Amino acid sequence: MKHPEGVSLCEPDERPRLVVHVVDALDTAQADLSLLNLIRHLPQERYRHAIVCLGDSGGCQDAMHDHGVDIVHLHKRAGRDPLHYLRMFGVLRALRPDLIHTRNATSLPAQVVAALAGVKLRVHAEHGHTVAGGGLLCRMLCPLIDHFIAVSSDLEQWLVESVGAEPARVSHIANGIDSVQFHPRLGPSAAVGPPGFMDDGVFVVGSAGRMDDAGNHTTLVEAFLRLIASPHPAHRRLRLLLVGDGPARAECQALLQRAGAAARAWLPGARADLPQLLRAMDLFVLPSLAEDRSNTILQAMATGLPVVASAVGGNTELVHPGFTGILVPPMSTELLASAIADYCRIPDMATRHGARARSQVIARHSMPAMARDYLAVYDALTRSDAADGLRRLR
């Protein structure tokens, strides 16, 4: 019997293997959906799943439970909390998973606990290596990890050259995006924001993500203020929509207030309705100073938006200048403003680039493609483990 995608199904008498995913916290809709979408697209007859959450929060636990996913909270306190490792050990001994899958530096110590608890197969995925000390910890624990997953070629290179992982033990698996949930608007823009924000004919420049120093949203605000202060008539249509929260949000609001431009901008904070808000935008901008592989860029591209992004990290793999967007040097207010102005003044270019961006996501970053790649990693490890078990029996 064959899986629809061409992968052989397990024999009927084989139980589905249990994968335990260790995450810091399910505290954003994006984090929840990324993991939930992966679980949805893996064959249930071959793998079942549980989530061990270091923290307490969770945005879509009901949806996880609907897919038969158990969620265990370890109630880790802020700062050092050695007792949570004991709780994790007890949970892993009780669950007896076939495979543990950690993500990023915050969950890396779980690999040690998993080894002590007798979990045979261990996978670690890197979605970013910006946490202080994360590289050192990854190097130290490298021998414990059977396979690494990197979401960008930049991270793949980092794992091989800096962490010391063998190239054969590293897979580059790009993030997958749900192109049904994130789709272009099918009619006029939805009326979002305060009264007057979405007047007829406006051109909405948007961004989404955590608003901190690395996000560099103040540079985007400064570029926006420069444009609306210019005499070009097209710039009168400009509006700014920044979705997300963080320490820089108040600074961005203050800049807009001092310039008398608060009515032309909307900063709603963290939101669960990101697909709808992306469909209210005409251009997506990611001005971050560092980026590995941005889900929000892919979500914007799936929505049919052209993208202006800083030429850093994984952004250079996703945005094709002159075809799906424009890349600019980080911290360059002038060049960022110029790129935004091009799309505002030439709507046809925004339409063309946005359509190509969506086609690129569907061709290269679909959820089924991502799931197939993860499935290949899981299958290779479990087959190897099964073969080792047979050799021991003989």
Side-chain angles (χ1 to χ4, degrees):
M1 183 177 181
K2 296 285 185 180
H3 185 265
E5 300 296 343
V7 183
S8 298
L9 292 174
C10 62
E11 295 300 323
D13 58 344
E14 283 189 27
R15 65 177 177 85
R17 301 291 190 121
L18 175 61
V19 180
V20 165
H21 305 266
V22 181
V23 299
D24 185 33
L26 292 172
D27 58 354
T28 66
Q30 180 173 310
D32 289 356
L33 288 172
S34 176
L35 181 51
L36 177 59
N37 281 330
L38 172 61
I39 290 170
R40 281 173 172 166
H41 285 80
L42 291 175
Q44 295 180 9
E45 68 275 10
R46 290 162 66 181
Y47 293 98
R48 55 197 176 96
H49 305 267
I51 297 172
V52 172
C53 190
L54 303 184
D56 295 325
S57 53
C60 62
Q61 294 191 66
D62 290 343
M64 294 286 191
H65 288 307
D66 289 344
H67 281 77
V69 180
D70 291 326
I71 301 175
V72 180
H73 294 287
L74 296 181
H75 308 292
K76 182 181 181 297
R77 294 178 299 184
R80 295 181 179 274
D81 182 11
L83 290 179
H84 94 277
Y85 294 122
L86 291 177
R87 295 191 291 272
M88 184 187 298
F89 180 85
V91 167
L92 293 178
R93 290 289 288 179
L95 291 174
R96 300 178 63 191
D98 298 279
L99 185 149
I100 190 166
H101 184 157
T102 56
R103 289 163 173 78
N104 293 334
T106 51
S107 64
L108 253 177
Q111 294 286 347
V112 178
V113 181
L116 294 173
V119 182
K120 293 182 180 180
L121 304 176
R122 297 180 288 274
V123 172
H124 178 69
E126 272 296 334
H127 297 253
H129 52 259
T130 56
V131 178
L136 176 60
L137 183 61
C138 208
R139 283 194 295 273
M140 291 173 60
L141 300 186
C142 186
L144 286 178
I145 299 168
D146 296 300
H147 205 85
F148 290 91
I149 292 168
V151 301
S152 68
S153 58
D154 178 59
L155 281 168
E156 181 182 21
Q157 182 180 3
W158 176 76
L159 284 168
V160 172
E161 296 181 0
S162 299
V163 172
E166 299 171 17
R169 291 168 53 209
V170 181
S171 293
H172 173 193
I173 303 179
N175 290 331
I177 296 298
D178 186 341
S179 58
V180 175
Q181 181 187 33
F182 292 92
H183 64 81
R185 58 178 178 240
L186 305 177
S189 298
V192 302
F197 180 74
M198 292 293 293
D199 286 343
D200 290 341
V202 298
F203 187 90
V204 180
V205 178
S207 189
R210 179 160 174 76
M211 300 184 70
D212 53 18
D213 289 343
N216 192 33
H217 291 87
T218 53
T219 297
L220 173 54
V221 172
E222 289 165 357
F224 175 76
L225 293 176
R226 178 178 295 202
L227 288 173
I228 64 175
S230 75
H232 197 288
H235 298 174
R236 298 172 192 163
R237 304 188 295 125
L238 285 170
R239 298 291 186 272
L240 181 65
L241 170 54
L242 302 182
V243 184
D245 208 349
R249 184 178 171 218
E251 184 180 357
C252 290
Q253 289 175 319
L255 285 171
L256 291 161
Q257 289 280 0
R258 285 197 296 270
R264 297 178 66 171
W266 184 38
L267 285 69
R271 298 276 294 227
D273 57 344
L274 182 59
Q276 179 184 355
L277 294 179
L278 285 173
R279 285 192 286 274
M281 300 176 188
D282 297 286
L283 171 68
F284 187 82
V285 180
L286 194 72
S288 50
L289 301 179
E291 203 70 51
D292 290 305
R293 180 60 70 100
S294 171
N295 266 4
T296 52
I297 280 185
L298 291 172
Q299 289 163 350
M301 291 171 65
T303 308
L305 296 177
V307 175
V308 173
S310 302
V312 296
N315 292 354
T316 59
E317 298 176 35
L318 298 179
V319 179
H320 295 170
F323 190 77
T324 63
I326 299 174
L327 291 169
V328 297
M331 298 295 291
S332 176
T333 304
E334 182 178 354
L335 291 178
L336 183 59
S338 176
I340 295 171
D342 284 347
Y343 283 112
C344 179
R345 297 175 188 179
I346 314 171
D348 287 348
M349 184 174 78
T351 302
R352 289 196 307 273
H353 288 188
R356 292 170 185 164
R358 177 166 172 82
S359 296
Q360 180 177 315
V361 168
I362 292 172
R364 304 177 189 175
H365 302 283
S366 69
M367 286 302 309
M370 182 191 76
R372 282 196 299 269
D373 290 343
Y374 274 97
L375 188 60
V377 171
Y378 290 174
D379 281 351
L381 291 175
T382 54
R383 279 198 300 265
S384 176
D385 181 56
D388 288 344
L390 286 173
R391 281 194 291 270
R392 285 193 296 270
L393 287 173
R394 291 169 184 162

